[in-house]
Amino acid sequence: MNSRPKLVALAGGSGAGKTWLAARLREILGCPATHLSLDDFYHDQSHLARSERERVNYDHPRAIDWRLAQAVLQSFRDGESVLMPQYSFKTHTRKRTFKTVRPRPVILVDGLWPWWRPGLRRLFDVRVFVDCPERLRLERRLERDMAARGRDGGSVRRQFEETVAPMHERFVAPQAEWADVVLRHPVGRGEVERVAAMIEGKARA
């Protein structure tokens, strides 16, 4: 394997199956892989009142601390350990504790817009876009937000209609243009294996 860690971006809409894909790739890859989420780079909103935090548009790229995200990913490319921020969606704040993450041969990074910015786009060795129907993405978002983030179904649906869907069309979907691979629902094991083979090929180069 090449000594420099290979960065792999997994982009797609909320509920598209990015986390599922990352887990399957880690099972199949013939080398150790670390899985990170762009979600942990959301700006800390602790300076706002709780009611104000709820009104922030978290589906717009400006909600991300891009400077920190780029610094962390560059450190991984350089083979350095990093202190990863951790974010709480229940409070919309960055946790006080950071997590030390050591580089592995493959770094999987999932998120809504991991290569929206050209500076980050250049850091990734492989870019995979997961295309999933809106109806299914909403169903998955409802299940996740109600179970893991303590939200009610009505607020999840309103947010999806008012911000998630329009922001998806504006910022998420266009990234398919810069993808090395576009996976469309349902994603089969054969497709995951082909992506894993592509990643391993890059790691051996």
Side-chain angles (χ1 to χ4, degrees):
M1 293 289 177
N2 190 300
S3 59
R4 181 180 69 76
K6 300 303 180 183
L7 269 61
V8 179
L10 309 176
S14 178
K18 302 181 295 295
T19 302
W20 173 88
L21 176 59
R24 299 293 82 73
L25 286 171
R26 291 183 71 185
E27 291 174 357
I28 295 171
L29 284 168
C31 56
T34 294
H35 176 208
L36 308 176
S37 176
L38 192 64
D39 288 354
D40 279 319
F41 294 99
Y42 273 106
H43 283 296
D44 178 34
Q45 304 294 345
S46 60
H47 61 289
L48 299 177
R50 184 60 186 259
S51 59
E52 293 178 283
R53 295 178 205 169
E54 299 293 340
R55 292 196 292 271
V56 172
N57 182 356
Y58 296 98
D59 292 279
H60 193 291
R62 64 172 169 249
I64 292 290
D65 185 340
W66 292 107
R67 182 177 298 179
L68 178 59
Q70 184 154 352
V72 165
L73 295 181
Q74 184 63 60
S75 293
F76 276 128
R77 272 184 69 92
D78 295 339
E80 301 171 355
S81 296
V82 302
L83 289 176
M84 272 290 296
Q86 299 181 81
Y87 194 81
S88 169
F89 282 95
K90 288 188 176 181
T91 61
H92 297 300
T93 60
R94 187 173 291 168
K95 296 180 181 179
R96 294 179 181 272
T97 57
F98 283 68
K99 178 173 62 176
T100 301
V101 181
R102 293 175 176 80
R104 286 182 165 184
V106 175
I107 311 291
L108 302 168
V109 183
D110 83 66
L112 296 177
W113 340 264
W115 66 75
W116 177 255
R117 289 197 165 196
L120 264 74
R121 195 181 311 151
R122 290 190 290 268
L123 294 180
F124 291 107
D125 299 281
V126 179
R127 298 185 295 268
V128 182
F129 187 85
V130 185
D131 189 4
C132 182
E134 183 175 296
R135 173 191 54 77
L136 183 55
R137 288 190 287 107
L138 173 57
E139 290 176 3
R140 290 173 175 172
R141 177 126 177 178
L142 278 164
E143 182 178 355
R144 182 199 68 188
D145 285 7
M146 293 173 68
R149 300 180 183 176
R151 300 183 56 194
D152 66 89
S155 70
V156 175
R157 287 189 177 87
R158 281 194 302 275
Q159 183 186 25
F160 196 92
E161 293 172 1
E162 294 172 4
T163 61
V164 177
M167 294 298 99
H168 177 89
E169 292 303 314
R170 183 177 175 186
F171 296 110
V172 180
Q175 292 174 110
E177 175 185 348
W178 301 300
D180 298 304
V181 181
V182 176
L183 300 178
R184 291 184 169 80
H185 177 81
V187 179
R189 182 176 178 85
E191 292 169 293
V192 179
E193 290 175 344
R194 283 194 291 275
V195 172
M198 176 184 293
I199 295 169
E200 290 173 343
K202 292 282 188 179
R204 287 191 294 268

